[in-house]
């Protein structure tokens, strides 16, 4: 019964991130390696995971980690530190927490396809989180793409592609289809750019969308998400 202990460490404040990271390296990383060498774990900054084999083991680790951190003058985040049950098609127990976020991904039960057998099954897998999707949409909004009418569409693509490519490379590693929302948001920003760029399309959203659809058909490699096969919707 795989269980994950989601741990958030409350150490930041006046301490710089670099000093906090060094502190946690000795308070948590080295300590777990020394005292619990058979328990896998991972940590990034103040966010960590401990991989346990049972609920009992997870509860024990939670207790000893609380004791360890209290002894070092620290505490675990009271709301974000949780025991997570990795539920899937084989593990069907009923637990309160069956999902968690880590490094921009949400890990939870998802319907997956076995391509060899051409069948569906439930697996505990990652995909881009809602928080990460919101951050990407906000980034595009802050870039004010629609206002860059001094650019050609080729220049616009050259400006946006490094950002979009980075998102696809990182968040598209698992369950790439979950990124379609980001791709559609970029396409909508492009539609607004077209309507500002060309006076004849200013009051014609549908025609502007159709214009971009033709561009995507003729130049499928122009934008990074088009090249990745995620043209999405322009409407």
């Amino acid at each position: 019964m795989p269980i994950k202990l989601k741990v958030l460490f409350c150490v930041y404040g006046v301490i710089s991130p670099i000093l906090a990271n060094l502190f946690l390296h000795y308070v948590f990383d080295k300590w777990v390696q020394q005292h619990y060498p058979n328990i896998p774990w991972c940590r990034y900054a103040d966010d960590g995971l401990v991989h346990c084999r049972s609920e009992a083991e997870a509860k024990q680790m939670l207790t000893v980690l609380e004791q360890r951190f209290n002894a070092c003058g620290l505490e675990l985040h009271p709301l974000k530190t949780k025991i997570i049950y990795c539920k899937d098609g084989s593990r069907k127990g009923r637990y309160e927490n069956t999902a968690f976020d880590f490094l921009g991904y949400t890990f939870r039960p998802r319907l997956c396809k076995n391509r060899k057998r051409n069948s569906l099954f439930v697996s505990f897998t990652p995909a881009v989180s809602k928080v990460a999707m919101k951050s990407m949409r906000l980034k595009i909004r802050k870039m004010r793409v629609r206002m860059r009418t001094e650019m050609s569409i080729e220049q616009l693509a050259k400006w946006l592609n490094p950002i979009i490519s980075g998102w696809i490379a990182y968040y598209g590693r698992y369950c790439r289809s979950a990124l379609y929302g980001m791709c559609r948001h970029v396409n909508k920003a492009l539609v607004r750019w077209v309507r500002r760029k060309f006076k004849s399309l200013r009051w014609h959203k549908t025609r502007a969308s159709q214009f971009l659809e033709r561009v995507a058909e003729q130049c499928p490699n122009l934008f990074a998400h088009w090249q990745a096969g995620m043209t999405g919707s322009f409407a």
Side-chain angles (χ1 to χ4, degrees):
M1 183 177 67
I3 296 283
K4 295 192 188 299
L5 176 60
K6 178 69 162 62
V7 184
L8 189 70
F9 312 112
C10 299
V11 301
Y12 290 173
V14 295
I15 304 177
S16 73
I18 295 176
L19 288 177
N21 202 38
L22 287 172
F23 195 43
L24 281 175
H25 176 70
Y26 292 99
V27 171
F28 176 74
D29 303 355
K30 302 299 289 185
W31 183 82
V32 174
Q33 288 175 356
Q34 180 180 354
H35 295 279
Y36 299 93
N38 296 322
I39 294 184
W41 58 273
C42 55
R43 181 183 66 82
Y44 182 82
D46 64 340
D47 203 358
L49 294 173
V50 178
H51 308 268
C52 302
R53 291 177 289 271
S54 66
E55 183 180 13
E57 186 176 65
K59 288 181 177 179
Q60 180 192 7
M61 284 302 301
L62 179 56
T63 299
V64 297
L65 283 174
E66 286 175 341
Q67 293 172 351
R68 167 65 174 169
F69 274 68
N70 288 337
C72 296
L74 304 175
E75 64 175 343
L76 303 180
H77 196 291
L79 299 178
K80 296 183 179 181
T81 299
K82 302 177 181 178
I83 295 176
I84 312 295
Y85 179 63
C86 303
K87 188 172 184 177
D88 61 14
S90 301
R91 298 185 286 265
K92 300 180 180 181
R94 301 177 69 89
Y95 287 85
E96 180 182 0
N97 301 310
T98 57
F100 66 90
D101 284 6
F102 187 61
L103 300 182
Y105 279 93
T106 294
F107 293 74
R108 66 172 178 82
R110 301 177 193 275
L111 196 63
C112 301
K113 185 175 183 178
N114 186 320
R115 299 188 183 278
K116 291 184 178 179
R117 299 181 180 178
N118 195 29
S119 60
L120 298 177
F121 66 100
V122 177
S123 179
F124 193 85
T125 55
V128 59
S129 70
K130 291 181 179 179
V131 173
M133 286 290 290
K134 183 178 179 180
S135 176
M136 286 184 274
R137 290 194 297 267
L138 182 61
K139 173 75 173 180
I140 293 297
R141 192 154 49 243
K142 286 184 175 181
M143 292 177 74
R144 297 174 64 85
V145 174
R146 69 183 185 279
M147 305 300 294
R148 302 306 300 267
T149 54
E150 79 282 2
M151 291 183 172
S152 66
I153 194 167
E154 291 81 10
Q155 291 171 325
L156 199 65
K158 188 175 181 180
W159 177 48
L160 292 174
N161 278 347
I163 297 171
I164 300 172
S165 294
W167 289 339
I168 293 174
Y170 182 75
Y171 295 111
R173 176 76 175 175
Y174 305 99
C175 196
R176 179 175 286 193
S177 61
L179 279 175
Y180 280 130
M182 177 274 292
C183 299
R184 186 177 182 187
H185 189 76
V186 173
N187 286 342
K188 286 184 175 182
L190 294 176
V191 170
R192 290 191 288 270
W193 175 83
V194 167
R195 294 176 66 186
R196 281 182 172 270
K197 177 77 173 178
F198 305 106
K199 291 182 179 180
S200 61
L201 298 175
R202 179 156 299 180
W203 307 108
H204 302 280
K205 182 179 178 180
T206 300
R207 285 170 57 189
S209 299
Q210 292 171 345
F211 169 82
L212 273 177
E213 287 174 359
R214 290 194 296 270
V215 173
E217 290 176 2
Q218 295 168 7
C219 307
N221 296 326
L222 184 59
F223 286 91
H225 60 300
W226 297 0
Q227 187 175 358
M230 295 189 289
T231 305
S233 174
F234 292 96

